[in-house]
């Protein structure tokens, strides 16, 4: 569904991505793991059209979206839940959600999608008129996910969804991702929580210094000595 | 409901004012409305969309000069000339906007560019002999009474009601905009550009819409200025002090709110007049004494009401819970 070939990205002189290639099959959960600064967020930002790659190709459902602006990429159904949630704290929960449906793709069915999101996240319904900044971390993460769903994505890239959440909330967020996946969503999961994400993932890769160091099924990577040493501390 | 009622009362008070006000008071009220209007137009860019323009008088000047030049040179009435003014200003706004936003200019750097454009235009107009240069462009006045809306000629009361209609009109427009999809996009942009972009909001187009719309509306204020004062000088029309005067009202009143620009103008213009009167009455003769007191008053307001007067007043009046108007001015930009 998503094919990335030899992607290069520079921030000034610093190379953030060096020939990254990755295939995300439709209906899969693909995990991208790696240390801080390995290029995980850069990869997501480049796919989403928020950073312009210096080289390489990004294909989404056969469409070459390399260098497309983010609003066009979003409108193809490629959504993202950004690191740190990026909700609008001074707007209400409902307003935050409605903003997710501003792209043409989400606009028409916005009212129906809103009901569905509220069904999925009853907590958000309870707090719909509250300012988003007053929500707990976990609720904010749900809001960020719900907001992304408002744009009717077919693939969602999650950037560190468990960051800064309590262990109970981390479990809940992962359960939500699995449920969305079961409903047919393709998932790209960038996580520091390596053990959990590899267990969930059909397919996974390890980014190191801007390139793919190890690649394989989630189960395979869990057995890999390098992964166990570097990321699982075993 | 409460807000609508208060608004209607305010509107009624303003509408009745010419019946009782002296010519001097009426002229002060025209200035109040003029700055309320301009503040509202500027607020679309900064208060709603978070794009700081410090050279907003550029659009006032362009609207004023374009409509005035057409009138002086070709006798084109204001009602037609204003479209030229609005169009020129919108093109200028689009040019400033697309130049900056295409190259990712943000925040203070964008603000600096807006100053540069205004200053550049000021100097350009000083050297345009066809438009009077530094000597000024003067609009002939054949009629100082009656009501001639097409040519924007008539009594002070007519100008007063034109200003009132403009201010009421832009208030309604802003209220509509805030509740519309573009208003939502602007608020998202203002709060967190990265997040807005991640949601697929077309940042470039939303910003450009804010600048162009704000520029066009501001130019309309410029047309009013030209035909009310009948004299245009580049230093005045495009000068930095004017840009500051435009933005003080909304900042003092409450950035990003609907009532802020109006309240700010109602506070600031009489404040300036009162200080002028007081310093003269008390016999202070020192140069700049008026500006000094004015500056001190502004400092006091900003020190004690950093979010502006309106958000505080709203809390005092307990209108926080009164959200049925959906005026969306919670969470003003900081």
């Amino acid at each position: 569904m998503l094919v990335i070939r030899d992607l290069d990205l520079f921030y000034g002189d610093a190379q953030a991505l060096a020939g990254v290639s990755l295939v995300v099959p439709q209906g899969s959960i693909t995990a991208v793991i790696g240390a801080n600064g390995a290029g995980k967020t850069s990869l997501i930002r480049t796919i989403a059209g928020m950073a312009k790659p210096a080289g390489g190709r990004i294909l989404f459902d056969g469409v070459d979206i390399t260098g497309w602006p983010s609003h066009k990429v979003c409108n193809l159904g490629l959504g993202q839940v950004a690191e740190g949630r990026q909700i609008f704290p001074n707007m209400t929960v409902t307003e935050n959600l409605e903003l997710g449906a501003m792209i043409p793709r989400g606009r028409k069915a916005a009212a129906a999608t809103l009901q569905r999101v509220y069904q999925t996240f009853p907590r958000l319904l309870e707090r719909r008129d509250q300012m988003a900044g007053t929500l707990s971390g976990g609720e904010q993460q749900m809001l960020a996910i719900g907001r992304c769903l408002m744009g009717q994505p077919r693939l969602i890239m999650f950037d560190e969804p468990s960051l800064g959440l309590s262990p109970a909330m981390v479990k809940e967020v992962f359960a939500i991702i699995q449920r969305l996946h079961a409903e047919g969503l393709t998932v790209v999961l960038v996580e520091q929580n390596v053990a959990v994400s590899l267990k969930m993932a059909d397919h996974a890769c390890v980014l190191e210094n801007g390139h793919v160091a190890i690649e394989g099924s989630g189960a395979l990577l869990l057995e890999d000595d390098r992964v166990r040493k570097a990321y699982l501390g075993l | 409901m409460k807000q609508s009622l208060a608004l209607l009362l305010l509107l009624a008070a303003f509408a009745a004012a010419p019946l009782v006000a002296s010519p001097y008071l009426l002229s002060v009220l025209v200035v109040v409305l003029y700055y309320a209007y301009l503040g509202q137009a500027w607020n679309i860019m900064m208060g709603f969309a978070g794009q700081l323009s410090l050279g907003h008088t550029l659009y006032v000047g362009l609207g004023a000069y374009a409509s005035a030049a057409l009138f002086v040179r070709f006798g084109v009435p204001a009602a037609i000339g204003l479209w030229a003014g609005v169009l020129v200003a919108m093109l200028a706004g689009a040019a400033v906007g697309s130049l900056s936003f295409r190259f990712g200019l943000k925040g203070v750097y964008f603000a600096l560019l807006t100053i540069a454009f205004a200053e550049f235009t000021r100097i350009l107009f000083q050297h345009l002999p066809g438009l009077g240069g530094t000597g000024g462009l003067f609009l002939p006045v054949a009629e100082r009474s009656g009501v001639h809306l097409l040519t924007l000629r008539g009594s002070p009361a007519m100008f007063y009601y034109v200003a009132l209609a403009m201010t009421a009109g832009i208030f309604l427009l802003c209220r509509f905009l805030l509740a519309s999809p573009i208003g939502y996009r602007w608020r998202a942009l203002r709060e967190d550009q990265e997040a807005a972009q991640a949601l697929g909001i077309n940042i470039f187009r939303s910003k450009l819409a804010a600048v162009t719309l704000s520029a066009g509306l501001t130019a309309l204020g410029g047309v009013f200025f030209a035909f009310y004062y009948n004299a245009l000088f580049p230093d005045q029309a495009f000068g930095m002090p004017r840009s500051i005067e435009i933005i003080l009202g909304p900042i003092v009143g409450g950035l990003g709110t609907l009532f802020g620009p109006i309240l700010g103008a109602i506070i600031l213009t009489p404040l300036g007049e009162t200080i002028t009167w007081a310093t003269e009455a008390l016999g202070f003769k020192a140069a700049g004494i008026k500006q000094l007191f004015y500056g001190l008053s502004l400092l006091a307001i900003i020190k004690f009401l950093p979010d502006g007067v309106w958000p505080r007043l709203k809390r005092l009046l307990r209108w926080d819970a009164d959200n049925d108007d959906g005026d969306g001015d919670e969470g003003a930009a900081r």
Side-chain angles (χ1 to χ4, degrees):
Chain A
M1 187 178 208
L2 181 67
V3 180
I4 293 146
R5 265 190 230 130
D6 303 323
L7 208 58
D8 289 324
L9 175 74
F10 290 88
Y11 293 125
D13 287 335
Q15 186 157 19
L17 298 176
V20 172
S21 293
L22 179 69
V23 175
V24 178
Q26 179 144 16
S28 70
I29 294 185
T30 301
V32 178
I33 59 176
N36 273 334
K40 294 168 296 178
T41 300
S42 296
L43 179 63
I44 285 196
R45 287 176 56 85
T46 312
I47 297 169
M50 295 173 71
K52 289 253 183 298
R57 287 267 156 273
I58 306 166
L59 301 167
F60 184 59
D61 262 353
V63 182
D64 188 341
I65 59 166
T66 321
W68 279 27
S70 49
H71 58 98
K72 277 191 170 167
V73 175
C74 267
N75 203 38
L76 278 183
L78 210 168
Q80 60 163 321
V81 176
E83 187 177 358
R85 307 186 273 272
Q86 294 196 340
I87 51 137
F88 302 106
N90 293 324
M91 298 174 90
T92 66
V93 168
T94 307
E95 285 171 337
N96 264 276
L97 290 173
E98 281 170 347
L99 272 167
M102 282 292 164
I103 47 174
R105 182 185 178 82
R107 196 97 54 80
K108 271 194 196 116
T113 319
L114 187 65
Q115 293 314 313
R116 256 215 330 279
V117 168
Y118 279 146
Q119 266 168 27
T120 315
F121 305 104
R123 289 272 273 287
L124 296 182
L125 181 64
E126 284 168 32
R127 303 181 189 281
R128 67 187 156 194
D129 294 323
Q130 228 166 293
M131 290 295 153
T134 65
L135 302 184
S136 74
E139 290 164 346
Q140 289 187 7
Q141 187 59 263
M142 290 179 190
L143 179 59
I145 296 172
R147 190 177 60 179
C148 183
L149 290 173
M150 291 295 293
Q152 313 231 325
R154 292 178 293 149
L155 184 156
I156 296 185
M157 302 183 284
F158 291 90
D159 196 353
E160 306 276 3
S162 72
L163 197 72
L165 300 183
S166 69
M169 203 40 93
V170 170
K171 248 188 199 161
E172 194 165 341
V173 166
F174 280 126
I176 289 165
I177 294 173
Q178 269 175 323
R179 200 161 74 223
L180 293 173
H181 173 246
E183 289 168 9
L185 193 77
T186 307
V187 172
V188 173
L189 185 59
V190 167
E191 257 300 335
Q192 297 213 328
N193 204 328
V194 172
V196 182
S197 52
L198 285 185
K199 260 178 220 152
M200 278 170 65
D202 312 305
H203 185 74
C205 73
V206 179
L207 276 187
E208 262 169 25
N209 297 320
H211 68 273
V212 177
I214 313 166
E215 198 183 350
S217 73
L220 200 75
L221 261 67
L222 270 176
E223 298 300 313
D224 189 289
D225 276 347
R226 290 167 294 174
V227 173
R228 288 166 67 90
K229 243 191 208 136
Y231 302 102
L232 298 172
L234 298 171
Chain B
M1 269 321 280
K2 261 189 273 176
Q3 287 191 7
S4 305
L5 198 67
L7 257 183
L8 278 177
L9 282 175
L10 190 67
L11 189 67
F14 266 104
L19 303 175
V20 289
S22 66
Y24 164 71
L25 186 59
L26 200 66
S27 74
V28 173
L29 287 175
V30 168
V31 178
V32 168
L33 290 170
Y34 174 68
Y35 278 114
Y37 176 87
L38 289 183
Q40 201 80 264
W42 176 82
N43 200 33
I44 292 176
M45 237 177 104
M46 178 60 195
F48 297 178
Q51 306 303 310
L52 177 58
S53 168
L54 289 178
H56 228 56
T57 195
L58 168 67
Y59 311 118
V60 178
L62 287 176
Y65 264 101
S67 59
L70 283 173
F71 175 63
V72 172
R73 301 222 130 201
F74 308 106
V76 177
I80 295 168
L82 70 87
W83 296 106
V86 169
L87 190 71
V88 169
M90 286 176 93
L91 287 175
V96 176
S98 43
L99 254 178
S100 332
F101 303 143
R102 191 53 87 198
F103 295 106
L105 224 50
K106 278 190 270 189
V108 282
Y109 301 102
F110 172 69
L112 277 178
L113 194 79
T114 62
I115 297 179
F117 267 90
E119 283 294 284
F120 166 75
T121 315
R122 179 178 66 86
I123 294 162
L124 180 75
F125 272 70
Q126 282 178 341
H127 297 92
L128 280 179
L131 293 174
T134 44
L137 181 67
F138 299 93
L139 289 80
V141 183
E143 194 90 52
R144 278 203 196 274
S145 60
V147 176
H148 309 278
L149 282 176
L150 201 65
T151 51
L152 210 57
R153 285 285 169 247
S155 64
M158 183 205 77
F159 278 101
Y160 174 83
Y161 281 115
V162 168
L164 183 59
M166 284 168 70
T167 309
I170 201 169
F171 177 88
L172 291 176
L173 177 69
C174 285
R175 185 174 158 151
F176 166 78
L177 283 174
L178 266 186
S180 74
I182 187 73
Y184 268 60
R185 289 195 189 95
W186 286 338
R187 285 173 69 195
L189 194 61
R190 180 187 78 192
E191 298 233 337
D192 189 338
Q193 180 169 327
E194 280 270 304
Q197 200 180 355
L199 291 180
I201 289 173
N202 190 335
I203 302 288
F204 179 77
R205 209 200 297 173
S206 305
K207 283 186 186 177
L208 204 61
V211 179
T212 317
L213 185 65
S214 176
L217 288 166
T218 305
L220 213 54
V223 176
F224 177 85
F225 178 86
F227 284 81
Y228 181 62
Y229 288 108
N230 298 308
L232 295 175
F233 302 95
D235 274 349
Q236 261 189 10
F238 296 105
M240 192 64 203
R242 279 302 155 88
S243 289
I244 301 296
E245 277 169 24
I246 294 172
I247 73 177
L248 279 181
I251 292 175
V252 165
L255 211 55
T257 66
L258 283 174
F259 289 87
I262 301 176
L263 204 59
I266 291 178
I267 294 168
L268 287 182
T269 310
L271 181 70
E273 293 295 319
T274 311
I275 290 171
T276 307
W277 171 81
T279 46
E280 275 169 17
L282 292 171
F284 289 128
K285 283 273 158 55
I289 193 87
K290 180 197 160 188
Q291 280 76 5
L292 183 69
F293 278 111
Y294 193 68
L296 286 174
S297 316
L298 284 181
L299 274 179
I301 294 174
I302 287 163
K303 169 87 176 78
F304 295 111
L305 300 164
D307 288 339
V309 178
W310 172 244
R312 172 68 63 89
L313 188 65
K314 195 161 90 163
R315 272 199 298 278
L316 281 179
L317 297 170
R318 300 193 185 283
W319 281 359
D320 312 52
D322 189 27
N323 275 336
D324 53 356
D325 284 299
D327 62 0
D329 50 24
E330 293 82 16
R334 261 161 263 276

